[in-house]
Amino acid sequence: MKNQFFSRQLLAIASLMILTVSCNNDDNFTAPPVINGQQQLKDTLTIGKTLKLSSKLKDRNNVSFEWAVDGKVVGSDSTYVFKSETRGDFKVTMTAKNDGGKVSLTYNVLALGAYENGFFMINEGWFGHGTGTVGFYRYDTKAIEDSVFVKANPGKDLKPVSSTLEFGTIFNKKLFLVSKVGGPVVVADAYTLKEEKRIPAQGGNDWRAVVGIDENQALLTSGKGIYKLNLNTMALNGQVAGITDQVGDIVKANGYIFALSASKGVIVMNSSTLAVVKTIPGMVLGFAVTDDKKVWAAGGTNLISIDSNTLTVTEIPLGFQAYGSWGAWHPGSITAAKNNVFIAKNGSWSGGKQVYKYTGTAASLTTPFITLTNSNILYGAGIGYDRLKNTLVVNTVNEGFGANFAINNLYLFNADSGVKTDTVSFSGYYFPAVSVFQQ
């Protein structure tokens, strides 16, 4: 009995001790840090710019911080200012610690090239008064930056002043700038705009457009046929046989090259042998390539599609006369959005006020998709499709002559609805040629 008494007493004392320790632990317990919201976030910035990132903790008291970029520790404050001088994807991780534990937050940051977050505006320039220029419309500021090529390349130019910058395209992450009337062909990095190579300006040059065949070779159209271009050396390796007249727009789809000739219409070539396999006469306007790999052109009062697998041609009544621009060449006023085709109803050279959208039915060509108001008219190609934003980009000047050409408007329309989403008005004798979009 005595032993049982002492056992019970010891058990009670032990229980009291355990209860006391437990209560003391509850009083001293520290909860680990807690993050507000999701623990993985995405941000985008242009290289050279800064992005301030926060820890997003509910309570920062008695918390230590560690920031790491791609595993390398870079900071210990509650916030971190990220800046990158190189293009790419970065993983920025914040780890917060206290006596109760730790928690992490990850930002996936995409650093875009200096000229990636927007599109290029290729301007032919005022003939005889200065060279063409390259502008850049930036998505985040919704503003146009002027003369970005010469700003990115001090000491470089697009002279002579007698030339006109008429065409641009992006191929293999390179921006190609093509000048008429003695001007150069320039290749620049599509993200930094730094010049890498060029065909120098020279009397007798009369280039139109360029298309890449593969990473080593391209075709360059001109006032006197099509030239073979070595992309590594920028050397010309002769001409495509049998084509000696003015050739303008040119595209590649599947195993074929499609070129628009002033005298022969559409010329179709095998992309490997460059042998001409088909011609489609009467076509004066091209090209658009839809997602189904059909190539679109127009001539007379017909829009045509060319199946790039079989080369079968389908005619669609357009309802109005299609015009080219051989007298003062500029890229064609036609573009594709997914499997739809936008085509401008231009005058005999340019200057239209209506854009039609062909969606696969005759009814879609009965009324314009967009009709410009006031004194606005299309200039140059006039229309382009920005796939990244699903936007129809429209360039206009005022109708008339002289000072009217210095009144410019850039319009952005939703490519599905036709709703105008932005307008930028600006002054100067730019004479817009074509818009070029990142791919």
Side-chain angles (χ1 to χ4, degrees), residues 37-326:
Q38 56 186 329
Q39 296 188 13
Q40 205 163 34
L41 301 168
K42 292 183 179 181
D43 274 292
T44 301
L45 82 166
T46 299
I47 59 172
K49 304 294 185 180
T50 59
L51 179 67
K52 187 175 182 179
L53 304 176
S54 66
S55 58
K56 297 189 180 296
L57 293 189
K58 288 185 176 180
D59 184 0
R60 299 181 185 179
N61 293 326
N62 302 315
V63 175
S64 64
F65 297 91
E66 180 182 276
W67 291 85
V69 177
D70 292 339
K72 181 180 178 181
V73 176
V74 293
S76 58
D77 293 332
S78 61
T79 61
Y80 174 66
V81 178
F82 177 83
K83 181 179 180 180
S84 175
E85 298 298 339
T86 59
R87 178 178 174 270
D89 289 297
F90 298 87
K91 192 176 291 296
V92 183
T93 303
M94 182 281 304
T95 301
K97 303 177 183 178
N98 65 10
D99 292 339
K102 66 179 180 179
V103 68
S104 293
L105 172 69
T106 299
Y107 286 89
N108 293 300
V109 181
L110 173 61
L112 299 174
Y115 296 100
E116 187 173 1
N117 194 31
F119 59 84
F120 295 103
M121 299 171 63
I122 310 302
N123 303 305
E124 67 182 39
W126 190 5
F127 178 73
H129 293 77
T131 68
T133 60
V134 180
F136 189 75
Y137 173 86
R138 201 170 289 281
Y139 295 140
D140 52 357
T141 63
K142 295 186 177 182
I144 298 170
E145 298 172 14
D146 186 27
S147 300
V148 292
F149 174 78
V150 294
K151 290 175 181 176
N153 297 278
K156 301 285 187 180
D157 59 53
L158 300 170
K159 292 181 178 179
V161 296
S162 60
S163 67
T164 54
L165 179 62
E166 206 66 67
F167 181 83
T169 191
I170 292 176
F171 173 69
N172 200 24
K173 300 179 182 179
K174 308 296 180 185
L175 174 65
F176 288 74
L177 301 173
V178 182
S179 299
K180 298 193 306 183
V181 200
V185 176
V186 173
V187 182
D189 184 279
Y191 304 125
T192 67
L193 210 51
K194 295 294 185 181
E195 180 178 327
E196 297 181 354
K197 304 171 185 176
R198 72 164 56 199
I199 297 175
Q202 180 178 321
N205 286 1
D206 198 15
W207 311 122
R208 296 291 183 271
V210 65
V211 66
I213 298 176
D214 55 40
E215 63 182 10
N216 298 311
Q217 57 184 337
L219 293 179
L220 182 61
T221 64
S222 77
K224 296 181 179 179
I226 304 174
Y227 287 79
K228 304 171 190 176
L229 175 63
N230 184 311
L231 292 177
N232 300 308
T233 64
M234 294 301 285
L236 299 174
N237 297 326
Q239 291 186 250
V240 175
I243 305 173
T244 58
D245 69 324
Q246 182 177 190
V247 180
D249 290 279
I250 187 167
V251 296
K252 181 177 184 287
N254 285 327
Y256 296 100
I257 303 289
F258 301 79
L260 192 63
S261 159
S263 64
K264 298 179 181 178
V266 175
I267 299 174
V268 186
M269 295 169 283
N270 181 294
S271 62
S272 298
T273 66
L274 300 184
V276 176
V277 296
K278 190 183 186 78
T279 58
I280 307 169
M283 297 297 105
V284 299
L285 176 65
F287 291 105
V289 182
T290 42
D291 288 356
D292 57 9
K293 296 301 181 182
K294 290 181 180 178
V295 179
W296 298 79
T301 57
N302 285 326
L303 177 68
I304 69 166
S305 70
I306 312 165
D307 187 312
S308 63
N309 287 302
T310 65
L311 300 186
T312 301
V313 177
T314 302
E315 293 187 349
I316 300 102
L318 193 54
F320 56 86
Q321 180 73 37
Y323 288 104
S325 57
W326 294 118

Side-chain angles (χ1 to χ4, degrees), residues 312-357:
T312 301
V313 177
T314 302
E315 293 187 349
I316 300 102
L318 193 54
F320 56 86
Q321 180 73 37
Y323 288 104
S325 57
W326 294 118
W329 185 82
H330 61 70
S333 301
I334 185 171
T335 190
K338 303 169 188 174
N339 284 325
N340 302 315
V341 178
F342 294 101
I343 182 170
K345 182 182 178 181
N346 277 340
S348 58
W349 169 64
S350 191
K353 294 180 74 71
Q354 296 175 328
V355 179
Y356 287 76
K357 179 181 180 181

Side-chain angles (χ1 to χ4, degrees), residues 332-335 342-344 355 378 381-385 392-395 434:
S333 301
I334 185 171
T335 190
F342 294 101
I343 182 170
V355 179
L378 299 170
I383 59 174
Y385 176 64
L392 183 68
V393 176
V394 175
N395 285 100
V434 68

